[in-house]
Amino acid sequence: MLVFKNASGYDGLGQYFEGKVIVTENGKIKDIKDTYDAPGDAEVVDLKGKVVSPGLIDVHTHLGVFEEGKGPSGHDFNETSDANTAQIRAIDGVNPFDVGLEDARKFGVTTVQTLPGSANVIGGEMVVIKTVGTVVDQMVVREPSGLKAATGENPKRVHGGKGKLPTTRMGVAALLRQKLHEAQVYMEKREKGEADYKLELENITKVLKGEMPLRVHAHRAEDIATVLRIKREFEIDVTIEHGTEGHLIPEFIAEHDVSVAVGPTLTARSKVELENRGWETLPTYAKHGVPFTITTDHPVVPIEHLMTSAIMGVKNGLTDQEAMKALTINGAKHLGIEDRVGSLEKGKDADLVIWSGDPFDLRNKVEVTYIEGKKVN
């Protein structure tokens, strides 16, 4: 049993609490009380003068599949052999010893989604993992957690450059629709025993059946509109990944019951899709009631700057609580794992971050990170 006394901080749900006792056991939060007499064999940690928060969540990373410091041999995130690689799984490329995962723990990030890159119209399945472990199968929180798709410049550049579909945004949307339709027909035939097993279509049918969302890379406003158009046409769950120009069409996005992973904003305008990137996107989503979370897209922005990105959001109009929710419970909901992580509540995983002071003051730092009740940094 691990007991934290004199605990004050953010619960992840929009409240700041003071002077509580957080009781953890067997990797879970057993209780949160005003007072508690810990048994003699319990480890007691005094958090007086510190600030506690739930473990941070980055919903859109390439941790483990795009390793830092390895060059091309560590770049296992884009299978560029075809514009559709729905059959691949990110879990098969994750290296648990990627230094980026160590950095994540040091900076309070306890849960991440790792996904294929955006070179393809359909890139493959994603996986949600805790940021500690030596075997990826033992780190899994949800697998598969979504099917990656991409609109915009990346699939155009990678495959159009080879003279293959897609060469335009129209081609990107057409190929995505084509594969969704093929999967619909395949699903109907499989149910009647009239089709042989085909892995790529099996993975797409999981989206059509509502077993996982289609998570679509979309920066520009017209690409976001295309994703929402396809959502309506096929009646599927989607999330918007990046949503960079969402501040241009917030009312339209708000009509569609989608969550947006915003970022990486702490980067240069390195391509046409980032022409209108800016910190106003975050408070605009908040103002219009669009559920959003914040991402680094590691290693595009290093994972240690997840909280830095939230601080920039606060400097530009978010409240502290809105920013903390974006990094915790909103991230958990985006990934469909809010029953386990994202807030300090009884029954949830004991993923806690102990800060030297207010986490929204960049001068303060993570002192200790706990994952499932175990100190990991």
Side-chain angles (χ1 to χ4, degrees):
M1 178 179 287
L2 180 60
V3 178
F4 301 91
K5 68 177 185 179
N6 297 315
S8 299
Y10 297 87
D11 65 3
L13 300 171
Q15 300 296 319
Y16 192 92
F17 61 89
E18 295 183 346
K20 297 293 185 178
V21 181
I22 303 173
V23 183
T24 73
E25 190 172 33
N26 298 323
K28 299 288 185 179
I29 297 174
K30 184 177 181 181
D31 216 338
I32 301 177
K33 295 174 170 286
D34 292 324
T35 61
Y36 180 73
D37 293 325
D41 60 349
E43 179 183 353
V44 179
V45 178
D46 191 347
L47 298 183
K48 187 174 182 179
K50 311 298 181 183
V51 176
V52 63
S53 77
L56 307 184
I57 300 169
D58 193 330
V59 303
H60 185 116
T61 80
H62 306 288
L63 282 159
V65 295
F66 190 155
E67 300 176 60
E68 293 184 87
K70 298 292 180 64
S73 63
H75 297 177
D76 277 331
F77 65 112
N78 272 322
E79 176 58 57
T80 59
S81 54
D82 194 86
N84 166 48
T85 55
Q87 67 270 29
I88 72 169
R89 302 195 300 167
I91 192 173
D92 295 323
V94 174
N95 178 7
F97 300 98
D98 178 6
V99 67
L101 289 164
E102 180 181 351
D103 289 342
R105 299 190 295 271
K106 288 179 180 178
F107 288 87
V109 183
T110 57
T111 303
V112 297
Q113 182 171 230
T114 290
L115 51 150
S118 53
N120 303 334
V121 176
I122 302 180
E125 291 187 343
M126 310 170 176
V127 60
V128 176
I129 59 175
K130 294 294 180 74
T131 57
V132 66
T134 57
V135 178
V136 66
D137 307 72
Q138 298 169 353
M139 301 160 65
V140 168
V141 180
R142 182 182 180 189
E143 199 279 323
S145 55
L147 185 66
K148 176 68 182 291
T151 60
E153 299 301 315
N154 287 3
K156 282 173 53 182
R157 171 179 52 82
V158 173
H159 299 284
K162 301 174 185 177
K164 297 164 52 178
L165 187 73
T167 63
T168 64
R169 278 180 161 74
M170 295 179 293
V172 171
L175 183 56
L176 182 53
R177 283 191 180 94
Q178 176 185 333
K179 289 300 176 181
L180 286 166
H181 177 67
E182 284 181 17
Q184 283 181 327
V185 174
Y186 169 82
M187 184 170 61
E188 294 169 1
K189 288 185 176 180
R190 283 285 288 173
E191 290 173 354
K192 298 176 183 178
E194 298 175 355
D196 293 331
Y197 182 91
K198 192 169 184 179
L199 182 56
E200 65 160 316
L201 295 179
E202 284 287 333
N203 288 354
I204 300 172
T205 62
K206 295 174 188 176
V207 172
L208 296 171
K209 292 177 180 179
E211 296 173 5
M212 64 179 178
L214 188 69
R215 303 191 187 275
V216 191
H217 166 116
H219 283 284
R220 284 171 47 154
E222 67 265 40
D223 291 331
I224 296 170
T226 294
V227 174
L228 298 179
R229 190 177 309 118
I230 290 172
K231 169 184 167 62
R232 297 193 303 270
E233 290 171 13
F234 288 90
E235 299 182 336
I236 55 176
D237 292 332
V238 305
T239 64
I240 303 297
E241 305 295 314
H242 305 307
T244 302
E245 290 188 351
H247 60 281
L248 302 179
I249 53 169
E251 295 90 352
F252 184 70
I253 296 172
E255 295 171 359
H256 285 84
D257 187 28
V258 292
S259 177
V260 184
V262 185
T265 316
L266 196 69
T267 186
R269 296 180 179 89
S270 58
K271 54 184 178 179
V272 66
E273 293 178 307
L274 301 180
E275 178 184 5
N276 291 310
R277 77 107 179 93
W279 296 107
E280 70 272 21
T281 307
L282 294 168
T284 299
Y285 281 139
K287 177 182 177 181
H288 288 85
V290 176
F292 70 94
T293 180
I294 299 172
T295 178
T296 62
D297 197 8
H298 176 96
V300 178
V301 171
I303 191 70
E304 59 258 39
H305 290 300
L306 182 60
M307 179 53 78
T308 310
S309 299
I311 291 171
M312 291 300 296
V314 171
K315 287 181 68 174
N316 286 273
L318 286 184
T319 67
D320 290 5
Q321 292 291 0
E322 287 171 335
M324 182 58 74
K325 286 175 67 176
L327 299 184
T328 54
I329 194 62
N330 287 7
K333 290 178 178 178
H334 187 93
L335 299 176
I337 55 171
E338 66 271 26
D339 60 326
R340 281 192 59 179
V341 298
S343 60
L344 300 179
E345 294 182 271
K346 181 177 179 179
K348 290 197 174 182
D349 291 359
D351 296 352
L352 299 90
V353 184
I354 312 305
W355 304 82
S356 61
D358 178 8
F360 292 102
D361 184 336
L362 197 54
R363 293 170 295 182
N364 292 320
K365 64 179 182 178
V366 172
E367 293 193 342
V368 186
T369 302
Y370 293 88
I371 294 180
E372 297 178 13
K374 296 179 180 179
K375 184 178 177 180
V376 297
N377 69 329

